Amino acid sequence: MTTFESVLQEARLFAPSSAFMEQSHIQGLEHYKRLYETAKADPDTFWGELAIRELHWFQPWDRVLDWQPPFAKWFVNGKLNVSYNCLDRHLFNSRANKPALIWEGEPGDTRTYTYAELHHDVCRMANVLKDLGVKKGDRVGIYMPMIPEAAIAMLACARIGAPHTVVFGGFSAEALAGRLLDAEAKLVVTADGSWRKDVINPLKIQVDEALADGKVPSVQQVLVVRRTGQPIAMDPERDRWWHEMQPTASPQCPAEPMDSEDPLFILYTSGTTGKPKGVVHTTGGYNLYTHITTKWVFDLQEDDIFWCTADVGWITGHSYIVYGPLSNGTTTVMFEGAPRKSNPGCFWDVVERHGVTIFYTAPTAIRMFMKLGEDLPATRNLSSLRLLGSVGEPINPAAWMWYHRVIGGGRCPIVDTWWQTETGGIMITPLPGAIATKPGSATFPFPGILADVVDMQGNPVPENQGGYLVVTHPWPGMIRNVHGNPERFHRTYWDPIPPKDGHYTYFSGDGARRDEDGYFWIMGRVDDVINVAGHRLGTMEVESALVSHPAVAEAAVVGKPSDIKGEEIVAFVTLEDAYAPSEDLMKALKNHVAKEIGAIARPAEIRFSEALPKTRSGKIIRRFLRAMAAGEAITGDTSTLEDRGVLDQLRGER
Ligand code: WTA
């Protein structure tokens, strides 16, 4: 593993400045250690005290944790509402007129909502959803641009107890249909279109396509927000405009008291096999976990302007644009645009214009900015920034150093945060006033998180040796189930590593090592998940998309290291007899995958071959394909191969 080698030599250490430490929530390593040890010795008391202190409950819980592995219940019988914690409670203190959400659209239009205004609109949307027949427990699909109404829709769902399932606006109609179908969504909130790199992404047309021919029978209504303004077709039976319903909807809607374990949302994510999994998160544990991680990891202060650049369609957007910051009463920034030819410096304009103090982005973006050069950030005033974050994939030390020097002006701590859709919130991370950072290391587990690096039997591996990253005790933000498929939940996360001394072990699917100082270094996926520009894609999903094309007999997909994107997709394809390899076919197949899944899954390369390397039992040997895609020599045992000629042939195709 190349990243393994390079990070091994990383010895630079960046201690928090005393100025930063003095104003932070967790001050110094000793403070962190104390918290960590307290939480480890008695997790129930640790989480229970935090839940009382940090959240509003309509009814207290009887028990902090009911753990029937692998099923956890947190804050048993407690009643609360996440939308209440994100909005209402701030109205009674001095935050009613504080900006809750600062939004900027790609064309440069902006809107700011105070907490009172956001509360108003969330209540209205909640009432509209109720008018359209949505009841507690009904699922609502959200397929939206990065506009305030996306957050408003999420909070409105939370308010009435209708779990949402947000589908990233870049996913295709097919991918949308699959998710809506699996979640049995009753209603979809969407927009006419979204701005994406100066063109309109026609969201409503994709919704129409997804719902055509009764493909998703559960969906009865579609609520459409006007964003881009181009003419669209409205089905008079099914479709309603938000701007027509909003003015008459009451701005009063009491928050429904939800059971702590009632589902808050389902979010689909890629796994090793089969279709994307519906990761289920519930109310109390998720609210507490995203709240406290936002507060401590980003060291929130009352006047912070917090900008997480993720899309709300991903878990990062759920937890660190919407729920975590708003629960803390912070001002959160939402930006529709993306750096593009016509405006490559737009991110730095947003920082300057809104005085962003905390900036949270992905390594793939940082590497892109490195390539664009230092002029773009240098010509903007970035002096408001005081803390930087990274998420989505391992950050290579060179990108870390650039981020620190060029964006952070050498003064901002960097929090490299490891976590997953399944974990709900940040798990391994520096606490910026407490932990000295090493470029490329996510450092230590958050207090209350028991993480380890183990072998396949669950035994801890020696320091500096790679192993599987696991979590050995439940935590409030953990995945509760795979929607409609508890068996898959079991198999994916809890079966791979056997229980140790009766403790069930959560298998993350990532590899890691710990160095001589106990720092965690994440090495990336150990399974067949590809991380393209911080987006998780299962090889199986892309392969299924390819073989659904009539020309394709068989396909195998692997990740290939890429300077900017981390990984990109290389597909090995064998064709049906009637088809011959050609440039046109290559293009057609790439477009086909983009249409089936979304542009993020478009293969960077397609290689045609007459056969794929397989074991005698017919299993494709991806190791060989990965090496071939990366242009590396094939090493190791090739004796398992059924037909060794295949490798020569594949090489010949290069
Ligand atoms: C990867 C995104 C290294 C990892 C929050 C994980 C990281 C997957 C980091 C989850 C990091 C995320 N360092 N790798 N700081 N953060 N990853 O579900 O492989 O979209 O398993 O959640 O991203 O991706 P997901």
Side-chain angles (χ1 to χ4, degrees):
M1 267 195 191
T2 47
T3 49
F4 188 95
E5 289 301 318
S6 59
V7 294
L8 207 55
Q9 286 141 25
E10 186 53 61
R12 287 169 288 207
L13 195 68
F14 293 81
S17 70
S18 52
F20 196 97
M21 198 191 290
E22 274 159 25
Q23 51 78 54
S24 62
H25 291 285
I26 315 298
Q27 304 183 341
L29 190 61
E30 289 312 311
H31 189 177
Y32 162 75
K33 279 189 180 159
R34 221 163 43 236
L35 268 179
Y36 180 85
E37 292 303 331
T38 310
K40 185 175 172 184
D42 184 358
D44 284 14
T45 303
F46 175 76
W47 293 118
E49 285 179 1
L50 281 175
I52 293 170
R53 200 176 78 203
E54 303 287 336
L55 299 184
H56 172 272
W57 296 82
F58 296 126
Q59 179 187 304
W61 61 89
D62 306 332
R63 238 174 111 183
V64 172
L65 171 66
D66 174 4
W67 179 221
Q68 318 247 343
F71 297 100
K73 291 191 179 127
W74 282 89
F75 311 113
V76 182
N77 293 327
K79 302 270 185 285
L80 76 167
N81 185 289
V82 179
S83 141
Y84 186 96
N85 275 312
C86 288
L87 300 168
D88 305 51
R89 63 167 165 163
H90 305 310
L91 306 181
F92 313 129
N93 54 34
S94 53
R95 293 187 181 127
N97 296 318
K98 176 180 176 170
L101 179 68
I102 297 176
W103 171 79
E104 187 168 322
E106 198 180 81
D109 43 343
T110 74
R111 267 191 265 165
T112 298
Y113 290 75
T114 63
Y115 270 95
E117 289 164 343
L118 191 62
H119 175 260
H120 216 84
D121 257 12
V122 167
C123 287
R124 284 184 155 156
M125 176 100 60
N127 282 324
V128 165
L129 293 177
K130 282 203 245 176
D131 281 355
L132 295 177
V134 177
K135 291 189 200 58
K136 183 173 173 174
D138 288 341
R139 264 87 60 199
V140 171
I142 297 178
Y143 185 61
M144 286 286 269
M146 281 287 284
I147 56 176
E149 289 81 357
I152 289 168
M154 292 164 75
L155 291 160
C157 287
R159 196 158 188 90
I160 62 174
H164 55 69
T165 185
V166 184
V167 179
F168 171 55
F171 277 129
S172 67
E174 261 83 359
L176 172 64
R179 285 158 173 80
L180 294 174
L181 194 64
D182 188 83
E184 294 172 274
K186 188 164 181 186
L187 179 144
V188 179
V189 185
T190 190
D192 48 358
S194 71
W195 286 109
R196 187 74 192 161
K197 301 199 176 179
D198 301 320
V199 294
I200 289 174
N201 174 16
L203 293 174
K204 173 61 164 61
I205 291 180
Q206 323 242 57
V207 171
D208 292 342
E209 206 178 310
L211 302 182
D213 313 321
K215 271 200 297 255
V216 191
S218 58
V219 173
Q220 292 162 14
Q221 310 255 244
V222 177
L223 182 63
V224 187
V225 177
R226 191 158 66 191
R227 167 62 186 139
T228 40
Q230 82 283 15
I232 56 166
M234 294 288 280
D235 177 333
E237 302 276 294
R238 192 194 65 188
D239 304 342
R240 293 278 185 288
W241 282 110
W242 162 239
H243 66 262
E244 287 177 1
M245 300 193 76
Q246 181 191 24
T248 53
S250 161
Q252 258 130 41
C253 175
E256 182 74 25
M258 301 299 291
D259 189 273
S260 180
E261 278 303 326
D262 278 337
L264 177 65
F265 65 84
I266 303 169
L267 185 59
Y268 286 83
T269 191
S270 301
T272 308
T273 53
K275 315 181 290 187
K277 299 181 285 275
V279 172
V280 177
H281 282 290
T282 58
T283 303
Y286 177 83
N287 192 357
L288 177 65
Y289 197 66
T290 51
H291 175 99
I292 198 65
T293 49
T294 315
K295 184 168 178 171
W296 286 353
V297 174
F298 299 105
D299 193 45
L300 292 181
Q301 310 290 331
E302 191 58 42
D303 50 1
D304 270 322
I305 310 284
F306 182 91
W307 182 22
C308 164
T309 69
D311 191 285
V312 289
W314 309 109
I315 191 69
T316 310
H318 282 58
S319 301
Y320 299 108
I321 294 176
V322 182
Y323 292 117
L326 295 178
S327 181
N328 280 281
T330 302
T331 301
T332 188
V333 175
M334 189 184 211
F335 181 49
E336 184 189 31
R340 56 202 186 279
K341 270 216 181 80
S342 66
N343 195 353
C346 60
F347 269 30
W348 316 126
D349 291 334
V350 170
V351 170
E352 178 175 323
R353 205 157 22 239
H354 304 293
V356 172
T357 58
I358 304 169
F359 177 72
Y360 189 32
T361 197
T364 184
I366 298 165
R367 289 191 298 265
M368 181 190 67
F369 291 127
M370 284 172 79
K371 212 165 184 174
L372 290 172
E374 294 183 20
D375 273 5
L376 293 171
T379 49
R380 272 79 173 178
N381 181 357
L382 304 183
S383 62
S384 57
L385 291 172
R386 62 178 201 90
L387 178 63
L388 304 175
S390 170
V391 61
E393 51 181 317
I395 179 165
N396 47 309
W400 196 104
M401 291 303 297
W402 189 91
Y403 197 28
H404 187 257
R405 179 175 61 81
V406 179
I407 305 305
R411 70 183 181 279
C412 303
I414 295 180
V415 289
D416 173 5
T417 62
W418 176 84
W419 59 295
Q420 310 178 293
T421 304
E422 293 87 343
T423 68
I426 295 166
M427 299 288 278
I428 300 183
T429 178
L431 298 180
I435 294 169
T437 52
K438 300 182 184 185
S441 168
T443 73
F444 296 114
F446 192 80
I449 300 304
L450 302 183
D452 210 341
V453 180
V454 301
D455 62 20
M456 253 323 183
Q457 280 68 52
N459 302 307
V461 300
E463 75 185 31
N464 279 319
Q465 201 166 302
Y468 301 103
L469 179 57
V470 298
V471 187
T472 57
H473 188 79
W475 65 102
M478 69 195 279
I479 173 175
R480 295 300 195 275
N481 210 338
V482 170
H483 178 67
N485 202 341
E487 191 276 322
R488 194 164 172 206
F489 173 61
H490 229 287
R491 178 161 39 91
T492 311
Y493 304 107
W494 307 95
D495 287 352
I497 310 283
K500 198 103 184 94
D501 312 324
H503 292 293
Y504 266 68
T505 300
Y506 169 82
F507 176 72
S508 68
D510 280 321
R513 71 178 169 92
R514 239 180 320 181
D515 69 14
E516 54 288 355
D517 302 320
Y519 280 61
F520 282 78
W521 299 78
I522 316 298
M523 293 156 67
R525 303 293 306 192
V526 294
D527 54 14
D528 290 326
V529 170
I530 308 181
N531 192 329
V532 182
H535 299 315
R536 266 169 79 168
L537 291 164
T539 49
M540 266 285 292
E541 282 166 81
V542 185
E543 287 162 7
S544 317
L546 280 165
V547 296
S548 73
H549 189 281
V552 176
E554 212 175 13
V557 158
V558 295
K560 164 187 168 176
S562 144
D563 281 354
I564 304 271
K565 293 185 170 178
E567 278 188 296
E568 52 189 20
I569 296 175
V570 178
F572 293 84
V573 165
T574 66
L575 294 175
E576 294 287 356
D577 287 345
Y579 293 83
S582 71
E583 284 287 326
D584 282 349
L585 184 57
M586 210 179 271
K587 243 185 247 154
L589 293 181
K590 288 182 184 178
N591 289 340
H592 180 70
V593 175
K595 181 168 178 300
E596 289 289 308
I597 304 175
I600 51 170
R602 182 192 298 275
E605 258 180 68
I606 290 190
R607 300 191 189 181
F608 296 112
S609 67
E610 275 167 35
L612 296 172
K614 288 187 186 166
T615 62
R616 287 184 182 87
S617 61
K619 223 171 153 284
I620 291 169
I621 312 176
R622 284 171 206 281
R623 183 161 62 86
F624 294 151
L625 295 175
R626 270 195 289 266
M628 206 123 35
E632 290 163 3
I634 290 173
T635 53
D637 188 11
T638 56
S639 64
T640 46
L641 206 57
E642 191 203 22
D643 172 6
R644 293 196 205 194
V646 168
L647 285 187
D648 299 328
Q649 209 189 66
L650 282 170
R651 279 196 204 96
E653 296 288 340
R654 278 177 49 199

